[in-house]
Amino acid sequence: MKQIDNLKEAKVLFEALASDARLEIINLLSKYREMNMNEIAQKLGLTNGAVTQHMKKLIAAGIVTISAAAGKHGNQKICRLVEDKIIINIVTKHPQKLYECEIKVGNYSIFDVYPTCGLATKDKLIGEVDDPKYFAHPEHVNCDIIWFTKGYVEYIIPNFLRQNQKAVEIQISFEISSEAPGVSNNWPSDIYFYLNGVELGYWTSPGDFGGDVRGIFTPDWWFPNWNQYGLLKLLSISEDGTYIDGFKISNVTIKDIDIESKNEIRFRVAVPDHAKNIGGVTLFGRHFGNYDQDIKFRIFYEEV
């Protein structure tokens, strides 16, 4: 998900989308996930030169990326969508002053999880799957993917706010999905989020994605019938309430979190017993899924 906070930056995006041919390219890539330039040209009945010019605008707008790959007839240019969602804030409420950090999905501080469950680094599984005791393995801090059916993991976010600084918004972004035995694109799960013990609300993941499509960053050794990728979500807590991708999920505000008096912020991801849809959760880090990131935290603040 891409977030644009000023209209000047959005101008490039608007120009990229102001073309039926470029919209068709986006539709093709959303359907097939990745295509080479020749395939796109053939599907749309365009010359390779015309597709190249359209691609330049889509790349400049941050919508599409191109990488080289070996093919039957030499190297070919593989095109993929960078973003599956774009949010444009016409009016930006938060100031530009912020603290930010990124935490690996395996670097949780406490946990209580139930099978099916497991965790892995970019190179290997940690312990045995479906055995929660391996979540206490010392190497869990290096994991790039974790999954469980029910329970929670909790992360400690450093709080670097000074006495004269007041938090006005917290943003947390992560790649996430449900957790089905194997994979199932239709496997709803109500995933809840908490800050400092305060329930923020929940988001219903539609499924656990994979099957015949691998995650862009998922390593080659990973099993094809296991979790492949998730959806990139943005959780934000402001003075107005709590939002997922700009849609309000509760009236909990940043004042309810009271982070100024604490040295740390505790962020919990859970599928609790009271959830209507208990379909598990999978968290993807930098070396799994479709997004080159771990869990990103941003604290916007103002001087007081």
Side-chain angles (χ1 to χ4, degrees), residues 10-299:
K11 182 180 179 183
V12 177
L13 172 66
F14 296 150
E15 290 175 349
L17 298 179
S19 162
D20 289 339
R22 290 193 284 276
L23 293 178
E24 286 298 320
I25 291 172
I26 294 172
N27 285 334
L28 284 174
L29 293 177
S30 66
K31 179 179 180 180
Y32 295 103
R33 296 188 56 77
E34 62 179 40
M35 301 175 71
N36 63 44
M37 300 280 275
N38 291 333
E39 290 171 333
I40 293 174
Q42 291 172 4
K43 286 280 187 182
L44 299 182
L46 298 173
T47 65
N48 282 8
V51 171
T52 298
Q53 294 305 312
H54 287 307
M55 282 297 177
K56 287 180 178 179
K57 288 188 175 292
L58 292 173
I59 292 170
I63 300 173
V64 171
T65 184
I66 295 180
S67 59
K72 293 182 179 179
H73 305 289
N75 287 339
Q76 55 182 336
K77 294 180 178 179
I78 302 298
C79 308
R80 300 183 180 92
L81 288 179
V82 177
E83 308 292 348
D84 60 1
K85 184 176 297 182
I86 298 174
I87 295 176
I88 300 173
N89 292 321
I90 296 177
V91 178
T92 304
K93 294 184 178 181
H94 58 69
Q96 295 304 308
K97 294 181 179 180
L98 63 90
Y99 294 119
E100 57 186 339
C101 67
E102 198 164 351
I103 296 178
K104 293 183 75 69
V105 298
N107 195 13
Y108 44 81
S109 58
I110 59 174
F111 69 92
D112 182 20
V113 301
Y114 296 83
T116 54
C117 62
L119 62 170
T121 69
K122 64 182 178 65
D123 300 312
K124 63 181 181 179
L125 288 168
I126 300 300
E128 300 177 4
V129 297
D130 296 340
D131 191 339
K133 70 185 178 187
Y134 287 103
F135 274 66
H137 193 289
E139 203 171 348
H140 76 80
V141 297
N142 299 316
C143 285
D144 294 288
I145 185 172
I146 65 172
W147 66 96
F148 53 91
T149 293
K150 191 178 68 170
Y152 67 85
V153 289
E154 186 171 278
Y155 302 88
I156 294 178
I157 311 167
N159 184 1
F160 297 128
L161 289 175
R162 300 172 183 172
Q163 288 186 345
N164 65 329
Q165 294 172 344
K166 173 188 173 185
V168 295
E169 183 174 353
I170 297 175
Q171 293 183 354
I172 310 172
S173 68
F174 40 81
E175 184 175 356
I176 194 169
S177 76
S178 307
E179 160 50 27
V183 294
S184 175
N185 290 345
N186 183 21
W187 192 268
S189 183
D190 297 338
I191 303 172
Y192 283 71
F193 306 101
Y194 303 78
L195 276 181
N196 291 343
V198 178
E199 183 180 300
L200 303 175
Y202 71 92
W203 167 74
T204 302
S205 169
D208 180 358
F209 309 108
D212 58 347
V213 179
R214 293 188 67 85
I216 293 172
F217 297 102
T218 299
D220 293 337
W221 65 267
W222 189 249
F223 311 98
N225 60 333
W226 284 17
N227 330 57
Q228 292 295 320
Y229 61 91
L231 301 175
L232 189 66
K233 311 306 292 182
L234 177 65
L235 173 68
S236 60
I237 307 93
S238 68
E239 297 172 320
D240 302 322
T242 299
Y243 299 80
I244 288 279
D245 295 344
F247 295 95
K248 196 169 190 177
I249 63 171
S250 80
N251 291 319
V252 176
T253 70
I254 197 163
K255 290 182 180 179
D256 299 318
I257 308 302
D258 184 31
I259 70 170
E260 283 82 3
S261 64
K262 298 175 174 60
N263 294 323
E264 62 190 29
I265 304 166
R266 293 187 173 268
F267 173 58
R268 178 174 294 193
V269 180
V271 180
D273 288 330
H274 65 263
K276 180 180 179 181
N277 298 295
I278 299 179
V281 58
T282 303
L283 283 164
F284 299 82
R286 185 173 296 279
H287 299 289
F288 277 82
N290 286 345
Y291 298 92
D292 186 22
Q293 70 164 73
D294 295 304
I295 303 176
K296 290 184 177 181
F297 298 93
R298 307 173 84 189
I299 302 177

